[in-house]
Coordinates of all heavy atoms in Angstrom, one line a residue:
M875 N 0.8 -1.2 0.0 CA 0.0 0.0 0.0 C 0.9 1.3 0.0 O 0.6 2.2 -0.7 CB -0.9 0.0 1.2 CG -1.9 1.1 1.2 SD -3.1 1.0 0.0 CE -4.5 1.4 0.8
A876 N 1.9 1.3 0.7 CA 2.8 2.4 0.9 C 3.4 2.8 -0.5 O 3.5 4.0 -0.8 CB 3.9 2.2 1.9
P877 N 3.9 1.8 -1.3 CA 4.5 2.2 -2.6 C 3.5 2.9 -3.5 O 3.8 3.8 -4.2 CB 5.0 0.9 -3.1 CG 5.2 0.0 -2.0 CD 4.2 0.4 -1.0
K878 N 2.2 2.4 -3.5 CA 1.2 3.0 -4.3 C 0.9 4.5 -3.9 O 0.8 5.4 -4.7 CB -0.1 2.3 -4.2 CG -0.1 1.0 -4.9 CD -1.5 0.3 -4.8 CE -1.4 -1.1 -5.5 NZ -2.7 -1.7 -5.4
I879 N 0.9 4.8 -2.6 CA 0.7 6.1 -2.1 C 1.8 7.0 -2.5 O 1.7 8.1 -2.9 CB 0.4 6.1 -0.6 CG1 -0.9 5.4 -0.3 CG2 0.4 7.5 0.0 CD1 -1.2 5.2 1.2
G880 N 3.0 6.4 -2.4 CA 4.2 7.2 -2.7 C 4.2 7.6 -4.2 O 4.6 8.7 -4.6
F881 N 3.9 6.6 -5.0 CA 3.8 6.8 -6.5 C 2.8 7.9 -6.8 O 3.0 8.8 -7.6 CB 3.5 5.5 -7.2 CG 3.3 5.7 -8.7 CD1 4.5 5.9 -9.5 CD2 2.1 5.7 -9.3 CE1 4.3 6.1 -10.9 CE2 1.9 5.9 -10.6 CZ 3.0 6.1 -11.4
L882 N 1.6 7.8 -6.2 CA 0.5 8.7 -6.5 C 0.9 10.2 -6.0 O 0.7 11.1 -6.7 CB -0.8 8.3 -5.8 CG -1.4 7.1 -6.4 CD1 -2.7 6.7 -5.6 CD2 -1.9 7.3 -7.8
A883 N 1.6 10.2 -4.9 CA 2.0 11.5 -4.4 C 3.1 12.1 -5.3 O 3.0 13.3 -5.6 CB 2.6 11.4 -3.0
L884 N 4.0 11.3 -5.8 CA 5.0 11.8 -6.8 C 4.4 12.2 -8.1 O 4.7 13.2 -8.6 CB 6.0 10.7 -7.0 CG 7.1 11.0 -8.1 CD1 8.0 12.2 -7.6 CD2 8.0 9.8 -8.3
A885 N 3.4 11.4 -8.5 CA 2.7 11.8 -9.8 C 2.0 13.1 -9.6 O 2.0 13.9 -10.5 CB 1.7 10.7 -10.2
A886 N 1.3 13.3 -8.5 CA 0.6 14.5 -8.2 C 1.6 15.7 -8.2 O 1.3 16.8 -8.7 CB -0.3 14.4 -7.0
L887 N 2.7 15.5 -7.5 CA 3.7 16.5 -7.4 C 4.2 17.0 -8.7 O 4.4 18.1 -9.0 CB 4.8 16.1 -6.5 CG 5.9 17.0 -6.2 CD1 5.4 18.2 -5.4 CD2 7.1 16.4 -5.5
L888 N 4.4 16.0 -9.6 CA 4.9 16.3 -11.0 C 3.9 16.8 -11.9 O 4.2 17.1 -13.1 CB 5.7 15.1 -11.5 CG 6.9 14.7 -10.7 CD1 7.5 13.4 -11.3 CD2 8.0 15.8 -10.8
G889 N 2.6 16.7 -11.6 CA 1.6 17.2 -12.4 C 1.0 16.1 -13.4 O 0.4 16.5 -14.3
F890 N 1.3 14.9 -13.1 CA 0.7 13.8 -14.0 C -0.6 13.5 -13.5 O -0.8 12.7 -12.6 CB 1.6 12.6 -14.0 CG 3.0 12.8 -14.6 CD1 4.1 12.8 -13.8 CD2 3.1 13.1 -15.9 CE1 5.3 13.1 -14.4 CE2 4.3 13.3 -16.5 CZ 5.5 13.3 -15.7
S891 N -1.6 14.1 -14.0 CA -3.0 13.7 -13.7 C -3.7 13.4 -14.9 O -3.3 13.7 -16.0 CB -3.6 14.9 -13.0 OG -3.8 16.0 -13.9
P892 N -4.9 12.8 -14.8 CA -5.7 12.5 -16.1 C -6.0 13.8 -16.9 O -5.9 13.7 -18.1 CB -7.0 11.9 -15.5 CG -6.6 11.3 -14.2 CD -5.5 12.3 -13.7
M893 N -6.2 14.9 -16.2 CA -6.5 16.1 -16.9 C -5.2 16.6 -17.7 O -5.4 17.3 -18.8 CB -6.9 17.3 -16.0 CG -8.3 16.9 -15.4 SD -9.6 16.6 -16.5 CE -9.7 18.1 -17.4
A894 N -4.0 16.3 -17.3 CA -2.9 16.7 -18.0 C -2.9 16.1 -19.4 O -2.4 16.7 -20.4 CB -1.6 16.3 -17.3
F895 N -3.3 14.9 -19.5 CA -3.4 14.2 -20.8 C -4.5 14.7 -21.7 O -4.5 14.7 -22.9 CB -3.4 12.7 -20.6 CG -2.2 12.2 -19.9 CD1 -2.3 11.8 -18.6 CD2 -1.0 12.1 -20.6 CE1 -1.1 11.3 -18.0 CE2 0.2 11.7 -20.0 CZ 0.1 11.2 -18.7
V896 N -5.6 15.1 -21.0 CA -6.8 15.5 -21.8 C -6.4 16.8 -22.6 O -6.8 17.0 -23.7 CB -8.0 15.9 -20.9 CG1 -9.1 16.6 -21.6 CG2 -8.5 14.5 -20.3
Y897 N -5.7 17.7 -21.9 CA -5.3 19.0 -22.6 C -4.0 18.9 -23.4 O -3.6 19.9 -23.9 CB -5.2 20.1 -21.5 CG -6.6 20.4 -20.9 CD1 -6.9 20.0 -19.6 CD2 -7.5 21.0 -21.7 CE1 -8.2 20.3 -19.1 CE2 -8.8 21.3 -21.2 CZ -9.1 20.9 -19.9 OH -10.3 21.2 -19.4
A898 N -3.3 17.8 -23.4 CA -2.1 17.7 -24.1 C -2.3 18.0 -25.6 O -3.2 17.5 -26.2 CB -1.5 16.3 -23.9
G899 N -1.6 18.9 -26.2 CA -1.6 19.2 -27.6 C -2.7 20.2 -27.9 O -2.7 20.7 -29.1
E900 N -3.5 20.7 -27.0 CA -4.6 21.6 -27.4 C -4.0 23.0 -27.3 O -4.5 23.9 -28.0 CB -5.7 21.5 -26.4 CG -6.6 20.2 -26.7 CD -7.8 20.1 -25.8 OE1 -8.0 21.0 -25.0 OE2 -8.5 19.1 -26.0
S901 N -3.1 23.3 -26.4 CA -2.6 24.7 -26.2 C -1.7 25.0 -27.4 O -1.0 24.2 -27.9 CB -1.9 24.9 -25.0 OG -0.7 24.0 -25.0
G902 N -1.8 26.2 -27.9 CA -1.0 26.7 -29.0 C -1.5 26.2 -30.4 O -0.8 26.4 -31.4
S903 N -2.6 25.5 -30.4 CA -3.1 25.0 -31.7 C -3.6 26.1 -32.6 O -3.9 25.9 -33.8 CB -4.1 23.9 -31.5 OG -5.3 24.4 -30.9
G904 N -4.0 27.3 -32.0 CA -4.5 28.4 -32.7 C -6.0 28.3 -33.0 O -6.6 29.1 -33.6
M905 N -6.6 27.2 -32.5 CA -8.1 27.0 -32.7 C -8.8 27.1 -31.3 O -8.2 26.7 -30.3 CB -8.4 25.6 -33.4 CG -7.9 25.6 -34.8 SD -8.4 24.0 -35.5 CE -10.1 24.4 -35.8
N906 N -10.0 27.5 -31.4 CA -10.8 27.6 -30.2 C -11.3 26.2 -29.9 O -12.0 25.7 -30.7 CB -11.9 28.6 -30.4 CG -12.8 28.7 -29.2 OD1 -12.6 28.1 -28.2 ND2 -13.8 29.6 -29.3
V907 N -10.9 25.6 -28.8 CA -11.3 24.2 -28.5 C -12.8 24.1 -28.4 O -13.4 23.1 -28.8 CB -10.6 23.8 -27.1 CG1 -11.1 22.5 -26.7 CG2 -9.1 23.8 -27.3
E908 N -13.4 25.2 -27.9 CA -14.9 25.2 -27.7 C -15.6 24.9 -29.0 O -16.6 24.2 -29.1 CB -15.3 26.5 -27.2 CG -16.7 26.6 -26.7 CD -17.0 25.9 -25.5 OE1 -16.1 26.0 -24.5 OE2 -18.0 25.1 -25.4
T909 N -15.1 25.4 -30.2 CA -15.8 25.2 -31.4 C -15.6 23.8 -32.0 O -16.4 23.4 -32.9 CB -15.3 26.2 -32.5 OG1 -13.9 26.0 -32.7 CG2 -15.5 27.6 -32.1
K910 N -14.7 23.0 -31.4 CA -14.5 21.6 -31.9 C -15.3 20.6 -31.1 O -15.3 19.5 -31.4 CB -13.0 21.2 -31.8 CG -12.1 22.0 -32.7 CD -10.7 21.5 -32.8 CE -10.0 21.6 -31.4 NZ -8.7 21.2 -31.4
S911 N -15.9 21.0 -30.0 CA -16.5 20.1 -29.1 C -17.9 19.7 -29.6 O -18.5 20.4 -30.5 CB -16.7 20.7 -27.7 OG -17.4 21.9 -27.7
A912 N -18.4 18.7 -29.0 CA -19.8 18.2 -29.4 C -20.8 19.1 -28.7 O -20.5 19.7 -27.7 CB -19.9 16.7 -28.9
P913 N -22.0 19.2 -29.3 CA -23.0 20.0 -28.7 C -23.4 19.5 -27.3 O -23.5 18.3 -27.1 CB -24.2 19.8 -29.7 CG -23.7 19.2 -30.9 CD -22.4 18.5 -30.5
W914 N -23.6 20.5 -26.5 CA -24.1 20.2 -25.1 C -25.6 20.0 -25.1 O -26.1 19.1 -24.4 CB -23.6 21.2 -24.2 CG -24.1 21.1 -22.8 CD1 -23.8 20.1 -21.9 CD2 -24.8 22.1 -22.1 NE1 -24.4 20.3 -20.7 CE2 -25.1 21.6 -20.8 CE3 -25.4 23.3 -22.4 CZ2 -25.8 22.2 -19.8 CZ3 -26.1 24.0 -21.4 CH2 -26.3 23.4 -20.2
Q915 N -26.3 20.9 -25.8 CA -27.8 20.8 -25.9 C -28.2 21.5 -27.1 O -27.5 22.3 -27.8 CB -28.4 21.4 -24.6 CG -28.5 22.9 -24.6 CD -29.2 23.5 -23.4 OE1 -28.9 23.1 -22.3 NE2 -30.3 24.3 -23.5
T916 N -29.4 21.3 -27.5 CA -30.1 21.9 -28.6 C -31.1 22.9 -28.1 O -31.9 22.5 -27.2 CB -30.8 20.9 -29.5 OG1 -29.8 20.0 -30.0 CG2 -31.4 21.6 -30.7
L917 N -31.1 24.1 -28.5 CA -32.0 25.1 -28.1 C -32.9 25.5 -29.2 O -32.5 25.9 -30.3 CB -31.2 26.3 -27.6 CG -31.9 27.6 -27.1 CD1 -32.7 27.2 -25.8 CD2 -31.0 28.7 -26.8
D918 N -34.2 25.4 -28.9 CA -35.3 25.9 -29.9 C -35.9 27.1 -29.3 O -36.2 27.2 -28.1 CB -36.4 24.8 -30.0 CG -35.8 23.6 -30.8 OD1 -35.3 23.8 -31.9 OD2 -36.0 22.5 -30.2
G919 N -36.2 28.1 -30.2 CA -36.9 29.3 -29.7 C -36.9 30.4 -30.7 O -36.8 30.1 -31.9
K920 N -37.1 31.6 -30.3 CA -37.3 32.7 -31.2 C -36.2 33.7 -31.0 O -35.8 34.0 -29.8 CB -38.6 33.4 -30.8 CG -39.0 34.6 -31.6 CD -40.4 35.2 -31.1 CE -40.7 36.5 -31.7 NZ -42.0 36.9 -31.2
L921 N -35.6 34.2 -32.1 CA -34.5 35.1 -32.0 C -35.1 36.5 -31.7 O -35.9 37.0 -32.4 CB -33.8 35.2 -33.4 CG -32.6 36.2 -33.5 CD1 -31.6 35.9 -32.5 CD2 -32.1 36.1 -34.9
M922 N -34.7 37.0 -30.5 CA -35.3 38.3 -30.0 C -34.4 39.5 -30.6 O -35.0 40.4 -31.0 CB -35.3 38.3 -28.5 CG -36.1 37.2 -27.9 SD -37.8 37.1 -28.5 CE -38.5 38.5 -27.7
K923 N -33.1 39.3 -30.5 CA -32.3 40.4 -31.0 C -30.9 39.9 -31.3 O -30.4 38.9 -30.8 CB -32.2 41.6 -30.1 CG -31.5 41.4 -28.8 CD -31.5 42.7 -28.0 CE -30.6 42.5 -26.7 NZ -30.5 43.8 -26.0
I924 N -30.1 40.6 -32.1 CA -28.8 40.3 -32.5 C -27.9 41.5 -31.9 O -28.2 42.7 -32.2 CB -28.6 40.2 -34.0 CG1 -29.4 39.0 -34.5 CG2 -27.1 40.0 -34.3 CD1 -29.4 38.9 -36.0
D925 N -27.0 41.2 -31.0 CA -26.2 42.2 -30.4 C -24.7 41.9 -30.7 O -24.1 41.2 -29.9 CB -26.4 42.1 -28.9 CG -25.7 43.2 -28.1 OD1 -25.3 44.2 -28.7 OD2 -25.6 43.1 -26.9
G926 N -24.2 42.4 -31.8 CA -22.8 42.0 -32.2 C -22.7 40.6 -32.5 O -23.4 40.1 -33.4
E927 N -21.8 39.9 -31.8 CA -21.6 38.5 -32.0 C -22.5 37.6 -31.1 O -22.3 36.4 -30.9 CB -20.1 38.1 -31.7 CG -19.1 38.6 -32.7 CD -17.8 38.0 -32.5 OE1 -17.5 37.5 -31.3 OE2 -17.0 37.9 -33.4
F928 N -23.5 38.2 -30.5 CA -24.4 37.5 -29.6 C -25.9 37.5 -30.1 O -26.3 38.6 -30.6 CB -24.3 38.1 -28.2 CG -23.0 37.8 -27.6 CD1 -22.0 38.8 -27.7 CD2 -22.8 36.7 -26.9 CE1 -20.8 38.5 -27.1 CE2 -21.5 36.4 -26.3 CZ -20.5 37.4 -26.4
Y929 N -26.5 36.4 -30.0 CA -27.9 36.3 -30.3 C -28.7 36.1 -29.0 O -28.3 35.3 -28.2 CB -28.2 35.1 -31.2 CG -27.9 35.2 -32.7 CD1 -27.1 36.2 -33.2 CD2 -28.3 34.2 -33.6 CE1 -26.8 36.3 -34.5 CE2 -28.1 34.3 -34.9 CZ -27.3 35.3 -35.4 OH -27.0 35.4 -36.7
V930 N -29.7 36.8 -28.8 CA -30.6 36.7 -27.6 C -31.8 35.8 -28.1 O -32.5 36.2 -29.0 CB -31.0 38.0 -27.0 CG1 -32.0 37.8 -25.9 CG2 -29.8 38.8 -26.6
I931 N -31.9 34.6 -27.5 CA -33.0 33.7 -27.9 C -33.9 33.5 -26.7 O -33.5 33.4 -25.6 CB -32.4 32.3 -28.2 CG1 -31.2 32.4 -29.1 CG2 -33.4 31.3 -28.7 CD1 -31.5 33.0 -30.5
E932 N -35.2 33.5 -27.0 CA -36.2 33.2 -26.0 C -36.8 31.8 -26.3 O -37.3 31.6 -27.4 CB -37.4 34.2 -26.0 CG -38.4 34.0 -24.9 CD -39.5 35.0 -24.9 OE1 -39.2 36.2 -24.5 OE2 -40.6 34.7 -25.3
D933 N -36.6 30.9 -25.4 CA -37.1 29.5 -25.6 C -38.7 29.5 -25.4 O -39.3 30.5 -25.1 CB -36.4 28.5 -24.8 CG -36.8 28.5 -23.3 OD1 -37.7 29.3 -22.9 OD2 -36.2 27.7 -22.5
Y934 N -39.3 28.4 -25.7 CA -40.7 28.3 -25.6 C -41.3 28.4 -24.2 O -42.5 28.5 -24.0 CB -41.2 27.0 -26.3 CG -40.8 27.1 -27.8 CD1 -40.0 26.1 -28.4 CD2 -41.3 28.1 -28.6 CE1 -39.6 26.1 -29.7 CE2 -40.9 28.1 -30.0 CZ -40.1 27.2 -30.5 OH -39.7 27.2 -31.8
N935 N -40.4 28.3 -23.2 CA -40.9 28.6 -21.8 C -40.7 30.0 -21.3 O -41.0 30.3 -20.2 CB -40.1 27.6 -20.9 CG -40.4 26.2 -21.1 OD1 -41.5 25.8 -21.4 ND2 -39.3 25.3 -21.0
G936 N -40.2 30.9 -22.3 CA -40.1 32.3 -22.0 C -38.7 32.6 -21.3 O -38.4 33.8 -21.0
K937 N -37.8 31.7 -21.2 CA -36.5 31.9 -20.7 C -35.5 32.4 -21.8 O -35.5 31.9 -22.9 CB -35.9 30.6 -20.1 CG -34.6 30.8 -19.4 CD -34.1 29.6 -18.7 CE -32.8 29.8 -18.0 NZ -32.3 28.6 -17.4
E938 N -34.7 33.5 -21.5 CA -33.8 34.1 -22.5 C -32.5 33.5 -22.3 O -32.0 33.3 -21.2 CB -33.8 35.6 -22.3 CG -35.0 36.2 -22.9 CD -34.8 37.8 -23.0 OE1 -33.8 38.3 -22.7 OE2 -35.8 38.4 -23.6
F939 N -31.8 33.3 -23.5 CA -30.4 32.8 -23.5 C -29.6 33.7 -24.4 O -30.1 34.2 -25.4 CB -30.4 31.4 -24.1 CG -31.0 30.3 -23.3 CD1 -32.4 30.1 -23.4 CD2 -30.3 29.6 -22.4 CE1 -33.0 29.1 -22.6 CE2 -30.9 28.7 -21.6 CZ -32.3 28.4 -21.7
R940 N -28.4 33.9 -24.1 CA -27.5 34.7 -24.9 C -26.4 33.8 -25.5 O -25.6 33.2 -24.8 CB -26.9 35.8 -24.0 CG -26.0 36.8 -24.7 CD -25.6 37.9 -23.7 NE -24.5 38.7 -24.2 CZ -24.7 39.8 -24.8 NH1 -25.9 40.3 -25.1 NH2 -23.6 40.5 -25.3
L941 N -26.4 33.7 -26.8 CA -25.5 32.7 -27.5 C -24.4 33.5 -28.2 O -24.7 34.5 -28.8 CB -26.3 31.9 -28.5 CG -27.5 31.2 -28.1 CD1 -28.1 30.4 -29.3 CD2 -27.2 30.2 -27.0
H942 N -23.2 33.0 -28.1 CA -22.1 33.6 -28.9 C -22.1 33.0 -30.2 O -22.1 31.7 -30.4 CB -20.8 33.3 -28.2 CG -19.6 33.9 -28.9 ND1 -18.7 33.1 -29.6 CD2 -19.3 35.2 -29.2 CE1 -17.8 33.9 -30.2 NE2 -18.2 35.1 -30.0
V943 N -22.1 33.8 -31.3 CA -22.1 33.3 -32.7 C -20.8 33.9 -33.3 O -20.6 35.1 -33.3 CB -23.4 33.8 -33.4 CG1 -23.3 33.3 -34.9 CG2 -24.6 33.3 -32.8
S944 N -20.0 33.0 -33.9 CA -18.8 33.4 -34.5 C -18.7 33.0 -36.0 O -19.6 32.3 -36.5 CB -17.5 32.9 -33.8 OG -17.5 31.5 -33.9
K945 N -17.6 33.3 -36.6 CA -17.5 32.8 -38.0 C -17.4 31.3 -38.1 O -17.6 30.7 -39.2 CB -16.3 33.5 -38.7 CG -15.0 33.2 -38.1 CD -13.8 33.9 -38.7 CE -12.5 33.7 -38.0 NZ -11.5 34.5 -38.4
E946 N -17.0 30.6 -37.0 CA -17.0 29.2 -37.0 C -18.4 28.5 -36.8 O -18.5 27.3 -37.0 CB -16.1 28.7 -35.8 CG -14.6 28.8 -36.1 CD -14.1 30.2 -35.7 OE1 -14.8 30.9 -34.9 OE2 -13.1 30.7 -36.2
T947 N -19.4 29.3 -36.4 CA -20.7 28.8 -36.3 C -21.3 28.5 -37.6 O -21.3 29.3 -38.5 CB -21.6 29.9 -35.6 OG1 -21.1 30.2 -34.3 CG2 -23.1 29.3 -35.4
K948 N -21.8 27.2 -37.8 CA -22.4 26.8 -39.0 C -23.8 27.4 -39.1 O -24.7 27.2 -38.3 CB -22.5 25.3 -39.0 CG -22.1 24.6 -40.3 CD -22.3 23.1 -40.2 CE -21.0 22.5 -40.0 NZ -21.1 21.0 -40.2
Q949 N -24.0 28.3 -40.1 CA -25.3 28.9 -40.3 C -26.0 28.2 -41.5 O -25.6 28.2 -42.6 CB -25.1 30.4 -40.7 CG -24.4 31.1 -39.7 CD -25.3 32.1 -38.9 OE1 -26.5 32.3 -39.2 NE2 -24.7 32.8 -37.9
L950 N -27.1 27.5 -41.1 CA -27.9 26.7 -42.1 C -29.1 27.5 -42.5 O -29.8 28.1 -41.7 CB -28.3 25.4 -41.5 CG -27.2 24.5 -40.9 CD1 -27.7 23.4 -40.1 CD2 -26.2 24.0 -42.0
G951 N -29.3 27.6 -43.8 CA -30.5 28.3 -44.3 C -30.1 29.8 -44.5 O -29.0 30.2 -44.6
D952 N -31.2 30.6 -44.5 CA -31.0 32.1 -44.8 C -30.5 32.8 -43.5 O -30.4 32.2 -42.5 CB -32.4 32.7 -45.1 CG -32.9 32.1 -46.5 OD1 -32.1 31.7 -47.3 OD2 -34.2 32.1 -46.6
A953 N -30.0 34.0 -43.8 CA -29.5 34.9 -42.7 C -30.7 35.0 -41.6 O -31.8 35.2 -42.0 CB -29.0 36.2 -43.2
K954 N -30.3 35.0 -40.4 CA -31.4 35.1 -39.3 C -31.6 36.6 -39.0 O -30.7 37.4 -39.1 CB -30.9 34.4 -38.1 CG -30.5 32.9 -38.3 CD -31.6 32.1 -39.0 CE -31.2 30.7 -39.2 NZ -31.1 30.3 -40.6
K955 N -32.8 36.9 -38.6 CA -33.2 38.2 -38.2 C -34.2 38.1 -37.0 O -34.8 37.0 -36.8 CB -33.9 39.0 -39.3 CG -35.1 38.3 -39.9 CD -35.6 39.1 -41.2 CE -36.8 38.5 -41.8 NZ -36.8 37.1 -42.0
P956 N -34.3 39.1 -36.2 CA -35.2 39.1 -35.0 C -36.6 38.7 -35.5 O -37.1 39.1 -36.5 CB -35.1 40.5 -34.5 CG -33.7 41.0 -34.9 CD -33.5 40.4 -36.2
G957 N -37.2 37.8 -34.6 CA -38.5 37.3 -34.9 C -38.5 35.9 -35.5 O -39.5 35.2 -35.5
D958 N -37.3 35.5 -36.1 CA -37.2 34.1 -36.7 C -37.2 33.1 -35.6 O -36.7 33.3 -34.5 CB -35.9 34.0 -37.5 CG -35.9 34.8 -38.8 OD1 -37.0 35.2 -39.2 OD2 -34.9 34.9 -39.4
K959 N -37.8 31.9 -35.9 CA -37.7 30.7 -35.1 C -36.4 30.1 -35.5 O -36.1 29.9 -36.6 CB -38.9 29.8 -35.3 CG -40.2 30.4 -34.8 CD -41.3 29.4 -34.9 CE -42.6 30.0 -34.4 NZ -43.7 29.0 -34.5
I960 N -35.7 29.7 -34.5 CA -34.4 29.0 -34.7 C -34.2 27.8 -33.8 O -34.8 27.6 -32.8 CB -33.2 30.0 -34.5 CG1 -33.0 30.3 -33.0 CG2 -33.3 31.2 -35.4 CD1 -31.6 30.9 -32.8
R961 N -33.2 27.0 -34.3 CA -32.8 25.8 -33.5 C -31.2 26.0 -33.5 O -30.6 26.1 -34.6 CB -33.2 24.5 -34.1 CG -32.5 23.3 -33.5 CD -33.0 22.1 -34.0 NE -34.2 21.8 -33.3 CZ -35.0 20.8 -33.4 NH1 -34.7 19.9 -34.3 NH2 -36.1 20.6 -32.7
A962 N -30.6 25.9 -32.3 CA -29.2 26.1 -32.2 C -28.6 25.0 -31.4 O -29.2 24.6 -30.4 CB -28.8 27.4 -31.5
E963 N -27.5 24.4 -31.9 CA -26.7 23.4 -31.1 C -25.7 24.3 -30.4 O -24.9 25.0 -31.0 CB -26.1 22.4 -32.0 CG -27.1 21.5 -32.6 CD -26.4 20.4 -33.5 OE1 -25.3 20.6 -34.0 OE2 -26.9 19.3 -33.5
I964 N -25.7 24.2 -29.1 CA -24.7 25.0 -28.3 C -23.8 24.2 -27.4 O -24.2 23.1 -27.0 CB -25.5 26.0 -27.5 CG1 -26.5 25.4 -26.5 CG2 -26.3 27.0 -28.3 CD1 -27.1 26.4 -25.5
T965 N -22.7 24.8 -27.0 CA -21.8 24.2 -26.0 C -22.3 24.6 -24.7 O -23.1 25.5 -24.5 CB -20.4 24.7 -26.3 OG1 -20.3 26.1 -26.1 CG2 -19.9 24.3 -27.7
K966 N -21.6 24.0 -23.7 CA -22.0 24.3 -22.3 C -21.7 25.8 -21.9 O -22.4 26.4 -21.1 CB -21.2 23.4 -21.3 CG -21.8 23.3 -20.0 CD -21.1 22.2 -19.2 CE -21.9 21.9 -18.0 NZ -21.5 20.7 -17.3
S967 N -20.8 26.4 -22.6 CA -20.4 27.8 -22.3 C -21.3 28.8 -23.1 O -21.1 30.0 -22.9 CB -19.0 28.1 -22.5 OG -18.6 27.9 -23.9
G968 N -22.2 28.3 -24.0 CA -23.1 29.2 -24.7 C -22.6 29.6 -26.1 O -23.2 30.5 -26.7
H969 N -21.6 28.9 -26.6 CA -21.2 29.2 -28.0 C -22.1 28.3 -28.9 O -22.3 27.1 -28.7 CB -19.7 28.8 -28.2 CG -19.3 29.0 -29.6 ND1 -18.9 30.2 -30.1 CD2 -19.1 28.1 -30.6 CE1 -18.6 30.1 -31.4 NE2 -18.7 28.8 -31.7
A970 N -22.6 28.9 -30.0 CA -23.4 28.2 -31.0 C -22.5 27.5 -32.0 O -21.7 28.1 -32.7 CB -24.3 29.2 -31.7
L971 N -22.7 26.2 -32.1 CA -22.0 25.4 -33.0 C -22.7 25.5 -34.4 O -22.0 25.5 -35.4 CB -21.8 24.0 -32.6 CG -21.0 23.8 -31.3 CD1 -21.1 22.4 -30.8 CD2 -19.6 24.2 -31.5
S972 N -24.0 25.5 -34.3 CA -24.8 25.6 -35.6 C -26.1 26.3 -35.3 O -26.6 26.2 -34.2 CB -25.0 24.2 -36.2 OG -25.9 23.5 -35.4
I973 N -26.6 27.0 -36.3 CA -27.9 27.6 -36.2 C -28.7 27.4 -37.4 O -28.2 27.5 -38.5 CB -27.8 29.1 -35.9 CG1 -27.1 29.4 -34.6 CG2 -29.1 29.8 -36.0 CD1 -26.9 30.9 -34.3
Q974 N -29.9 27.0 -37.3 CA -30.8 26.8 -38.5 C -32.2 27.4 -38.2 O -32.6 27.6 -37.1 CB -31.0 25.3 -38.8 CG -31.6 24.4 -37.8 CD -31.7 23.0 -38.3 OE1 -31.1 22.6 -39.3 NE2 -32.4 22.2 -37.5

């Protein structure tokens, strides 16, 4: 038991944790990691307003969401304008991966 604890303590001291391997190779890639991730949820609602790179969406329960839309966001269909019904695939931090 003692050798295992010693090894784990040494590994923790040196920074060898599972998270160290998850992030290996991501820094310095020049790409936003958030845009490469899988969607966290799909949001359906009405586009209330466009504020620069942000869309304000009201879902069907009346709750408002502020989504970040960038040039990496896949825009399906015509350009969106306030009043349009939309469906967006978003990340946990609120970045829109796609909007239709």
Side-chain angles (χ1 to χ4, degrees):
M875 184 70 137
K878 287 183 182 178
I879 293 173
F881 176 74
L882 291 174
L884 178 63
L887 180 67
L888 295 175
F890 295 112
S891 68
M893 293 307 293
F895 296 107
V896 169
Y897 292 108
E900 289 182 1
S901 63
S903 66
M905 292 187 74
N906 182 358
V907 176
E908 191 72 44
T909 61
K910 296 188 295 183
S911 61
W914 174 62
Q915 79 177 54
T916 301
L917 178 64
D918 291 307
K920 181 177 170 183
L921 177 58
M922 301 306 288
K923 71 177 181 174
I924 299 173
D925 185 21
E927 288 190 338
F928 293 90
Y929 283 13
V930 177
I931 310 299
E932 183 178 288
D933 72 5
Y934 298 120
N935 295 321
K937 185 174 179 184
E938 285 194 355
F939 294 87
R940 186 172 165 92
L941 306 180
H942 179 251
V943 178
S944 68
K945 62 184 176 187
E946 286 86 21
T947 301
K948 226 183 253 189
Q949 300 251 359
L950 306 169
D952 297 331
K954 306 304 180 247
K955 60 188 181 307
D958 287 348
K959 290 183 180 180
I960 69 163
R961 170 174 279 183
E963 290 183 330
I964 62 172
T965 64
K966 198 168 193 171
S967 65
H969 178 79
L971 298 172
S972 68
I973 293 180
Q974 62 180 11

